[in-house]
Every structure is written in C-alpha cells, then in structure tokens.
Amino acid sequence: MAETTGDEAVETMTEAEAVTELAALAKTLAKANDAYHTDDAPVISDAEYDRLKRRNAAIEARFPGLKRADSPSDQVGAAPAEAFGKIKHAIRMLSLGNAFDEGDVRDFDARIKRFLDLPESTNLAYTVEPKIDGLSLSLRYEKGRLAHAATRGDGAIGEEVTANARTISDIPATLTNAPDVLEVRGEVYMSHADFASLNATQADAGGKVFANPRNAAAGSLRQLDATITAARPLRFFAYAWGELSAPLADTQWDALARLKALGFSTNPETRRLEGPDALVARHAEISAIRAELGYDIDGVVYKIDDLALQARLGFRSTTPRWAIAHKFPAETAWTRLLGIDIQVGRTGALSPVARLEPVTVGGVVVSNATLHNEDYIAGRASDGSVIRGGADLRLGDRVEIYRAGDVIPKVRDIDLTARPEGTEPFAFPDICPECASPATREPGESVRRCTGGLICPAQRVARLKHLVSRGAFDVDGLGDKEVERFHDLGWVARPADIFTLEARHGTGLQTVANLEGWGETSAANLFAGIRAARRQPLGRVLFGLGIRHLGEVAGRDLARHYGDWSAFVAAVDAALPAAAAHRAAEAAAAVERAAAAADGRRARLAEARSPPWADIPAEAKAAWDDIVGIDGIGATLALAICDALLPGQERDAIDALMAELEIEAPEVVATASPVSGKVVVFTGTLEKMTRAEAKARAEALGAKVSGSVSGKTDILVAGPGAGSKAVKAAELGVETLDEDGWLALIGDV
Ligand code: IVH
C-alpha cells in the first residue's frame, strides 16, 4: 500500500519510480473499484480514491509513454447497481436524528413537549427499540401479496430487490387480514454466527470475505442473481411502515404487535416506557446486553408511542420530530498519522485529511480521518479554545481515532510521549494546492478558502459534480466519474458546457461514443439524460448552483418566494449595494474584535453593527429586506447569494447556464389545501398549538410561512397580543384571521 500512496513530487520522480508507482496504482484502484461496485465493501474513501486517480493521471501526464494498457484513467466502471430497477417510494424513507448522550435525549423530549405545548412535567410514552445495524428495506403488499421490495436508495427512489426479498424467510410472501395497501419497513441484517460461517465458506471457496455483518447483508441483498441471495442467511426485523390503506393501530407499540401478528419478526427487546429517565435507563441496559444479542446494533431508537402525536409532530426535511436514535459511544483505536492531504471543495474550502496507517475501528478499516481545518491541526477549536490540551498534530504522531455510527472518522487525541524526534508543526498552505491561487481566511472564519473560483480545477470539478448530483439536476448517466473524465479531457469546464457537450462532441472524431468504455448506446443514453435535465424546477436550479449555505430546502423556499429565475435574479441584483454595506459593516466589526483581542482587552461579543443604510438606495434596502425576510433565509445565506451573483466571470458562467435551461415554476406542495401557495404570517399568542407546530402544519399544507407582513402576505393569523404586524396587515388590506378562524380554514376544527 505504501508505494501507492506516495507523496513524492511527480515533477522530480524518476522513470523507474513512475513505473513502480503506476503499477501499484493500477492494482490498488482496480481493487478499490471491485470492492466498491461489486462487493459493497469500500476499502478506501471516495476522497482517497479520487486522490489516487489524480495522482495516476499526473504521473501519466509527465510520462505519457509509461501509460499502462490497464490504466485506471481509462476505466469508467459502470456500477452494476445500474442494473437494478428503480422504485419511487410512495412515502419517502427518512433517516433519524441522533442523540449522543443523556443531555441530547432530554433535549429531544423537552423539544417535543415545547412543540406540543405540553407541561414540562408530562411523562410522554415512547417505544424503545434497538437500532439494528443493517440496511433498510420497504416491502409493499397489495391485497395481501408482496408486490415489490425496494432498498432505501436516496430516500425518494430505491433499488428494486423483490426477487431477493422473497428469498428471506422472515419476509412473508402473503399476508392475511392486512390492509389492501401495506408498506412494511424494517432492517435486513445478518447475525454474528451466520456472518462468521458465511465468511468461512467464502474464504474456503476463495470468494470474497466481508468486513462486517452489515456489508455482508448489503452485499447479499443487492445481488442481481437472486439465487445467490437465497443462499445467504439474511433476516429481517419490521419496525415501521410507509403507505397504508387503513391504520395499523393507534400506537407504535400496538402497530408493532399488529406487524408481528401478520407474520413479521419484530425485535423482542422493544419496550414501551414513559419519560426520559426510563429511556436513558433502557439505553444503558441494552448497551450492557449488546454483545449477547447475536447481531449488530448501533444504538437505541426512541419513538413517540401515540401515533396521533407522531402525526402532529411531523417531519423536518429528512428526519421525523417524533423519533431519535440514541447512538452508542464512538469506537476508538490508536494508529499513526502518515500524512496530511489538503482537499479543495466546491466552495474552495481547503479541507485537511489525515492519512493514517490503516487500523480497524469497530469492524471497519480506517485509513483516512477528517482534520476539519488548520486550527484543528494546531490544537484549537473554531472558537479559539484549546483542544487536546493544545497539542498540535505532526506527521508521525500516534493518534487516537474515533468513529460513531456512520460518521467520518475523527482524530480524538495524541500520545505526545510517542512523538518522533525532530518533528515540525504542520505548515498549512496559504496557496491552493490545486491552482496556486491565494488561499485566504475571512476574519472570524476557521476555514481557509481558495480564491481561484472557476480558475481552480478542483472547485470546477466539484461544482460540476454537485450540479449533476441527485438533489440537484440529477442527470442520468452523468456521475462523478464521467464528470471528471470530461473535465480532464477539457470537454466540460463550466456548467453550461454540459448542455453543449452533444453539439460539440456528439459527432465527428472526438466523440463521447469513441471514448474507451463508451459506445454509441451509452453516448446516446448520456445525451438523452442531459437533454431531459434541461428542464428543471427553479428550486433545484438554485440548489444546483452550489452556492455556499444554499441547500435543497432553501432552494425550494427561494423558488416559492420569487416564482421564476428573472424575478430572483432581479431581486438579488437590486440588493447588491445593501449586501456590500452589510459585508463592510461585518468586516469593520471583525477588525474591531481582532484589535480588542490584540490589545489584551476582553474581546466583546461584538454584534455586527447595523449597516449604514442611510447611504443605500431605498430599493436596495427593500430588496435586501425581502430576501432576509423569507423564513429560514438569514443574512449569511443572503450574502453568499449576493457574492455568487456579483458581476464577473462566475456570474457569466451562471448566465450561460441559464441560457441552456428551461426552468419550471416551483411546484406547489399540496394543491388540495385551501392555503397551498399562500403566504401566511403568524403573530401574537397562539393558544391551541405552539408557533412551531402552526408553522409546520401550514407548510405541510403547502403554505409559505413568512416572518414579516408585506404586500405579498395573503393571510395574517393574529392571536392575542398581536402588535405592529396586525397594524401593517390592516394598512395593506391583508386578510386577518384569529386562531379559530385559521383552524376552521384548514379544516382542523
Ligand atoms: S425508524 C422515520 N427504527 O436506522 C424513521 N429505524 O438512522 C424511520 N434503523 O434508516 C426509521 N433500527 O435503516 C427505525 N428500530 C428502528 C431501526 C431503524 C434500525 C435504521 C433504519 C433507518 C436508520 C436511521
């Protein structure tokens, strides 16, 4: 492994060294490809894979004559996963928020009571279920027959694995007395004993040995040949459901009993308990019997028992408010820090990654860990406080690694007594390792960023990857690897280039179809995928731009607020002077803070001084207020948007992309509701529900909740004590309702 991760400069490498390293890289990358695509057991992280690919390309570029017949540069590696059919889940498969300690659990319980406006002393009932460490599966039964089975995929669309699921004995093929439509959800897993004997058999037969039971379960379920799955000892616990034509029960506890009565396995360690003390106590009990369970669990899940309360609590964008996973403490191991790589991300952030002597942490081989930023390496947290007793990280250090659940491994501690002689503190680069542009730190920020923008190849590629990714344009046939390939060939640099690729490289000599690993059919599929991706909802377009802080939810919120691209861009253009004033005020405050700190005075928590609005045109201020008035969009995001759209090269690239697209008006969430598409403002005291619940409920019905009354407001819901907002609504002639009027309107009374 050592020679494949070498970091001697390519420029000074001898030909003999290049031959050896190219051979090693070909071997390592081929292994990594196999592990990733066919075995469900990645042996190296994506980042490390990318780094090795880049290094291989760099060596080949310097010694073109040494390029191997089996060069990794020529391998596209179509994932066999493509061969599975896709299934859109009738109801999204979500994940769970995490609690790591008792405090988090108490916060979770308190949050629920606040949301529901229940007295703090209430002891809410929860089910407490082991969190099975396998992979989730959704089983759709129609009229009692298993119609299809799908993996979670990205939550919205999963892979169809019906034939495979039918081979699992815990999964009934038919049900009696079940609702006509019943989607049962649960976890496919493998017991420790079955995992050990499967690995023994595999080893004897010279087959693949799995790293842990979860990988073995995933690899066994995701087999194109269901007879292979049938030969693997998979099991299934049911713990949730998706679409239902009739309710299963009134409580989670009874619903689990119903699933059991229908013939599913449910986890025998499940309990129904009241109040956070009991939850935490059960977590401790389960933790104590964890090793004897015979299968892997990575925590305990608490779910509000009463399904009516679950419905009231609803969901955040990807997790329910009514459940949480209380994880077991992280697993740790000691190893050696071999190197520190700097990766440059989509927004230019320089992220240091530790290269480690490979070590097993909780069943997984770890050879990389995140180091966050330069302060973290130096032994400081982002607020300036000391971490690890202030010890900085140096190459050769013995370090303690930890990982909790699926999170990226981190460095927890250093053993300074084992530090080799003559080490130096790590010099964090102040120029971008990818494009040599200056890498700078904004005052008050812990992250150093490359200022190269689209000049920087790393930022360019990362932005292109983001643009075509699932949550954004979701271009069929165009994944990370293809983006890199086209970028390396110089065929695609700016987002708009994706949409002109067919015109430029669809015919002639330098065509996509002529590339190694491609052909007429795959090229035609790619171009069809790209053509289809020209039509996009505004929210996805905004998200796809890859602007800092602008996530999928904010993309949708902005789309709903502005309705179309030209309105959005006109508003941002109008707000630019206000953004500049804001930025200047923030910078002045940061300088003041730094000066105070340097003076030895106690740095005050200086609030950003309000910008000198007097100097700014009224339209700019109005446009700025309009953006930051959108619920969930703060000044930070508004500034990032304004920065991204400043006139210049980057803006030109955005405009060029827009010229290629056909942007759809934002989708209205629930058309049937009397308030869908309406802008609603809540003010004053609500008596029947909390503000948070009212907001969540309104949004679930397709309304847009805003924090301030303006000409765009459709309804003001005013409780007792409503003040200036009610006055403004009256002035503007906005429809004003009291709480009962609102509930009557949305049909809640
Ligand atoms: S409930 C809407 N219950 O954990 C919530 N999930 O981190 C649906 N898991 O994707 C999940 N045991 O794969 C639930 N008793 C349990 C679970 C469980 C394991 C998995 C599941 C889920 C993941 C979330």
Side-chain angles (χ1 to χ4, degrees):
M1 192 83 196
E3 66 274 38
T4 67
T5 55
D7 49 11
E8 58 275 35
V10 174
E11 303 82 72
T12 54
M13 185 175 269
T14 65
E15 200 164 298
E17 284 169 342
V19 171
T20 319
E21 189 164 347
L22 285 175
L25 281 163
K27 197 164 147 209
T28 309
L29 286 164
K31 250 207 205 141
N33 257 334
D34 275 351
Y36 184 84
H37 290 303
T38 33
D39 306 336
D40 276 293
V43 285
I44 58 176
S45 70
D46 289 357
E48 175 71 356
Y49 180 89
D50 292 345
R51 193 185 72 81
L52 295 180
K53 272 285 262 262
R54 279 201 305 274
R55 186 161 174 83
N56 187 72
I59 301 175
E60 286 174 350
R62 181 148 177 252
F63 301 100
L66 297 183
K67 185 167 167 186
R68 300 167 56 94
D70 64 347
S71 162
S73 309
D74 294 333
Q75 269 130 42
V76 181
E82 289 298 322
F84 287 102
K86 286 184 179 171
I87 289 213
K88 186 171 187 327
H89 298 299
I91 295 180
R92 274 172 67 88
M93 288 183 81
L94 298 172
S95 56
L96 294 168
N98 290 324
F100 294 102
D101 56 29
E102 187 173 334
D104 293 345
V105 176
R106 292 188 187 282
D107 286 349
F108 162 70
D109 177 66
R111 243 185 347 258
I112 291 182
K113 287 188 275 201
R114 269 202 307 279
F115 190 95
L116 297 170
D117 205 17
L118 297 171
E120 265 173 48
S121 57
T122 315
N123 266 336
L124 284 167
Y126 294 88
T127 62
V128 182
E129 311 169 15
K131 185 171 184 303
I132 317 300
D133 195 7
L135 70 153
S136 48
L137 185 67
S138 184
L139 305 166
R140 186 176 172 95
Y141 291 86
E142 289 171 0
K143 297 210 167 8
R145 305 179 67 84
L146 179 61
H148 65 235
T151 63
R152 186 174 115 158
D154 65 355
I157 295 174
E159 284 170 356
E160 214 239 72
V161 290
T162 316
N164 312 50
R166 284 190 204 283
T167 70
I168 300 176
S169 56
D170 283 342
I171 297 180
T174 57
L175 304 175
T176 31
N177 291 330
D180 276 356
V181 175
L182 167 61
E183 283 182 5
V184 176
R185 292 177 175 177
E187 202 86 351
V188 174
Y189 68 101
M190 197 177 281
S191 73
H192 291 156
D194 287 339
F195 167 69
S197 56
L198 171 67
N199 262 356
T201 320
Q202 292 283 107
D204 282 349
K208 139 139 211 81
V209 171
F210 294 98
N212 56 47
R214 176 158 53 110
N215 287 343
S220 301
L221 183 68
R222 292 173 68 256
Q223 286 288 340
L224 290 174
D225 178 357
T227 59
I228 300 181
T229 309
R232 301 277 172 85
L234 292 176
R235 305 189 185 196
F236 179 78
F237 276 130
Y239 52 65
W241 51 91
E243 197 181 45
L244 291 174
S245 57
L248 289 175
D250 292 335
T251 62
Q252 176 77 21
W253 180 256
D254 289 345
L256 290 173
R258 178 86 196 279
L259 290 173
K260 188 161 178 1
L262 285 167
F264 291 94
S265 291
T266 54
N267 192 284
E269 296 303 331
T270 303
R271 300 285 183 271
R272 182 186 178 282
L273 297 168
E274 287 173 12
D277 293 343
L279 302 187
V280 171
R282 181 65 185 156
H283 182 267
E285 279 172 17
I286 299 223
S287 171
I289 59 166
R290 182 177 180 189
E292 291 131 49
L293 288 175
Y295 46 86
D296 276 352
I297 63 172
D298 55 347
V300 173
V301 183
Y302 309 131
K303 300 176 185 166
I304 284 284
D305 190 38
D306 182 338
L307 299 184
L309 291 185
Q310 283 193 6
R312 279 182 63 192
L313 287 158
F315 299 87
R316 295 179 218 92
S317 59
T318 59
T319 56
R321 286 195 191 83
W322 44 265
I324 201 162
H326 186 177
K327 296 301 210 49
F328 291 130
E331 314 205 46
T332 65
W334 285 91
T335 186
R336 207 163 281 282
L337 178 63
L338 300 178
I340 297 178
D341 282 347
I342 306 289
Q343 289 172 356
V344 183
R346 195 183 80 219
T347 59
L350 267 48
S351 308
V353 177
R355 285 201 293 109
L356 307 164
E357 212 166 83
V359 62
T360 307
V361 191
V364 173
V365 179
V366 168
S367 48
N368 298 295
T370 175
L371 294 174
H372 307 284
N373 54 51
E374 62 184 300
D375 287 348
Y376 186 83
I377 297 175
R380 284 188 306 270
S382 47
D383 62 1
S385 62
V386 159
I387 51 174
R388 299 185 302 262
D392 68 323
L393 287 169
R394 302 188 184 182
L395 302 196
D397 271 344
R398 230 172 94 71
V399 288
E400 190 186 20
I401 305 302
Y402 72 103
R403 55 182 284 275
D406 271 337
V407 300
I408 314 160
K410 301 193 171 99
V411 174
R412 167 182 283 178
D413 208 356
I414 313 180
D415 178 2
L416 284 177
T417 63
R419 176 167 281 177
E421 298 269 310
T423 57
E424 295 282 337
F426 179 72
F428 202 91
D430 55 9
I431 60 161
C432 171
E434 301 280 346
C435 72
S437 299
T440 58
R441 265 176 90 161
E442 296 288 323
E445 276 226 21
S446 51
V447 175
R448 191 173 279 282
R449 284 174 204 279
C450 160
T451 52
L454 285 174
I455 295 167
C456 176
Q459 285 192 55
R460 244 179 4 229
V461 171
R463 288 193 206 181
L464 291 168
K465 286 181 184 172
H466 172 78
L467 184 80
V468 302
S469 70
R470 267 190 180 158
F473 283 31
D474 194 13
V475 184
D476 252 359
L478 192 55
D480 286 0
K481 298 218 171 66
E482 292 75 24
V483 166
E484 264 168 36
R485 181 98 182 261
F486 296 143
H487 181 268
D488 290 351
L489 285 165
W491 291 4
V492 168
R494 303 192 315 166
D497 299 343
I498 291 172
F499 295 96
T500 57
L501 183 68
E502 183 172 12
R504 293 178 292 116
H505 294 284
T507 53
L509 269 182
Q510 287 224 319
T511 57
V512 173
N514 279 347
L515 293 178
E516 181 105 26
W518 287 76
E520 294 298 342
T521 317
S522 39
N525 287 343
L526 169 74
F527 293 135
I530 294 177
R531 261 179 264 130
R534 281 182 189 273
R535 204 177 149 73
Q536 291 293 343
L538 180 58
R540 278 179 178 254
V541 172
L542 293 171
F543 173 61
L545 293 179
I547 295 171
R548 259 174 93 191
H549 312 297
L550 205 171
E552 286 178 68
V553 175
R556 278 196 297 270
D557 286 349
L558 288 162
R560 248 180 257 155
H561 187 83
Y562 289 106
D564 61 52
W565 170 258
S566 47
F568 168 74
V569 91
V572 176
D573 283 341
L576 288 179
H582 219 284
R583 183 70 84 206
E586 262 189 1
V591 168
E592 200 172 283
R593 272 198 301 271
D599 266 11
R601 279 184 271 139
R602 247 184 52 194
R604 275 174 300 134
L605 261 182
E607 281 170 40
R609 287 180 306 190
S610 47
W613 293 122
D615 305 340
I616 300 167
E619 318 84 78
K621 171 151 169 34
W624 173 263
D625 285 348
D626 191 44
I627 303 183
V628 294
I630 304 171
D631 214 55
I633 312 279
T636 310
L637 172 54
L639 279 175
I641 293 173
C642 291
D643 281 353
L645 293 186
L646 278 175
Q649 265 194 44
E650 313 251 332
R651 170 63 178 271
D652 294 347
I654 292 177
D655 290 340
L657 172 65
M658 294 308 147
E660 298 293 333
L661 302 179
E662 191 185 326
I663 301 177
E664 293 169 15
E667 64 279 37
V668 175
V669 181
T671 36
S673 135
V675 296
S676 59
K678 300 250 165 101
V679 178
V680 181
V681 176
F682 292 96
T683 187
T685 318
L686 299 181
E687 282 157 348
K688 305 230 161 94
M689 57 177 88
T690 59
R691 192 69 77 75
E693 184 178 0
K695 174 169 183 273
R697 183 101 184 84
E699 285 175 348
L701 291 168
K704 178 82 206 77
V705 178
S706 170
S708 60
V709 174
S710 75
K712 298 204 175 99
T713 312
D714 294 302
I715 302 172
L716 177 75
V717 181
S724 61
K725 288 185 190 164
V727 176
K728 184 149 184 208
E731 276 169 21
L732 293 169
V734 170
E735 177 181 6
T736 301
L737 298 172
D738 63 9
E739 190 176 2
D740 287 337
W742 163 255
L743 292 175
L745 176 66
I746 62 173
D748 254 13
V749 232

